[in-house]
Amino acid sequence: MTDIPSPNTFRIKSFGCQMNVYDGERMTELLAENGMTAAADGEDADLVVLNTCHIREKAAEKAYSDIGRLKRDDGTRPMIALAGCVAQAEGAEARRRSSMIDIVVGPQAYHRLPHLVAEAAAGRRAVDTDMPAMSKFEALPARRRANPSAFLTVQEGCDKFCTYCVVPYTRGAEVSRPWTDIIAEAHALVDAGALEIVLLGQNVSAWSDGDRGIDKLIRALAKIDGLERIRYTTSHPADMTDALIATHGEVDKLMPYLHLPVQSGSDPILKAMNRSHTVESYVEIIERARAARPDIAISGDFIVGFPGESEKDFAATLALVEAVGYAAAYSFKYSPRPGTPAAVMEGTIEQQVMEDRLARLHEAIGKTQLAFNQASVGRDTVLLVERKGRRPGQMIGRTPWLQSVHVETDAPAGTMLEVTIISAGPNSLAGAVCQARTA
Ligand code: SAM
Ligand code: SF4
C-alpha cells in the first residue's frame, strides 16, 4: 500500500545489457505518451523506474540498496517501480523484501506500466511478471525519437540453456518479432534521425519468421534510404549460418563487426557449460567470416572460473584470445545464479584464483585490442559522429569496426565524417578530419 500520489515526472535507470537500454527507451516513450514528463538531470522525479539486470551476482542486492537511497531528506520518497530481470526473478517477493517498492514489472510486461502506476497510486497491488508472447510491442507507441545509432530489438529470450545463465528463466523462450513490425520500426527510427540501426536479441542470429532468417532481414533493411549502417548483437555460434556470413561480404551497409561470445577456450568447460560449439567449430566460423569479409573485427565474451576450470583449461582460453586476435572482448568472473545447473556443480574456483585469471585475461585481450587499433593508424575511414567528447570542440564517433574515435570538429552528432586515424590506444583512437559529408 502506498500513499504516493499519481506521478507527473519520471526517471528510468537502466542497468546491464543493450536490450535493457532499448526497454528503457521504450518505457520512456510510453510514459511520455501517457502524459508524464521525464525529469531533467539532477531534478527530483515523482516516479523512479529501476530497470535491473540479473546476469551476475549481487544484482538483486544492488537493486535493493539503490532503492534504499531513493528516500528523500524529508522522509518522503518517489513512487518506485522495479523493472527488468531482477523484477522477473523476484516477482511478488520483491515487495516483501522492500516495502518501498510500489510496482514490480517484468521485461515482457512493461507495456502495462501506465496501468500499474495508476494501480499503485490507488493503493492497489501492482505486480506484473507475465510473459505474453511479444504482445508488449503491439501495445507500445510508435518511435518518434532516435539516437544517431539506434537499438531495435528483433528477438527476445533464449532456448539454449547454458548451464550458468539466467536469461532463459528471466526473459523466457526464444521469440522473434514479425518482419513487418521490424521494418516499420526501422523506417520510424530512420525518419527520427537514426543513421545506424543495431538489431538486438539475446540470440539475434536465431531471428526467423519461419521462412526467412536474419540475413534476409538485413538485406531488406539495407534498402532503407537514409540508413547508413546496420549491426546486430548478440550471436550464438550455433546460429551463424552460411547465409548470414555471406551477407557480411555482400551487403555494404552491414558493418564489418561480429560479436561472437565463446566463453572458454577449453572443450571440456564448453561441454560443462552446455555450449553447443567446440573451440574448433568456433574458430572455423571466424575463418569463414574472415573469408567473406577479410577486415571483419571479432569480439567475444568470456567467463573465467567456471566450476572445474583448471589452469590448463584457462591456458587454452588465453591461447584462443591470441589465436583469434580479438578487436574487443568482455570477460566476467563466473557468478553462480540460483536455479541454474552450474550453481550446484562441484569444483568451485576460489575468488583469488578467479581474480588472478581475470587479470591475466584482461591483459591478453588488451594486447590484441591494442594491436587491432594500432593497425588502423594512417587509415582513412568514415565515422558516425555520436556524441560530444570531454574537451570543448571534441566529438566522439565510431568507425565501421566499432572503435571509438576522438576528433576535433564542429560536426554535430549524426554526421558521417571522413577522418584519418592518427593515433591509437587499447580503448580509443584519435582522428583528424578529412572532409565532412552529411548523410
Ligand atoms: N546470448 C549471448 C551468448 O550466448 O553468449 C550472451 C548473453 S549474456 C546476457 C552476456 C554474457 O554474460 C554472456 O556471454 C556471458 O559471458 C555472461 N554471463 C552470463 N551468465 C553469467 C554468469 N552466471 N556468470 C558470469 N558471466 C555470465
Ligand atoms: Fe544465456 Fe547461453 Fe542463452 Fe546466451 S545462449 S542468453 S549465455 S543461455
Side-chain angles (χ1 to χ4, degrees), residues 55 157-168 202-203 236 263 275:
I55 201 83
C158 181
D159 297 336
K160 302 272 191 294
F161 290 95
C162 300
T163 53
Y164 50 80
C165 185
V166 287
V167 168
Q202 264 94 19
N203 272 304
H236 188 286
Q263 316 301 355
R275 300 288 294 182

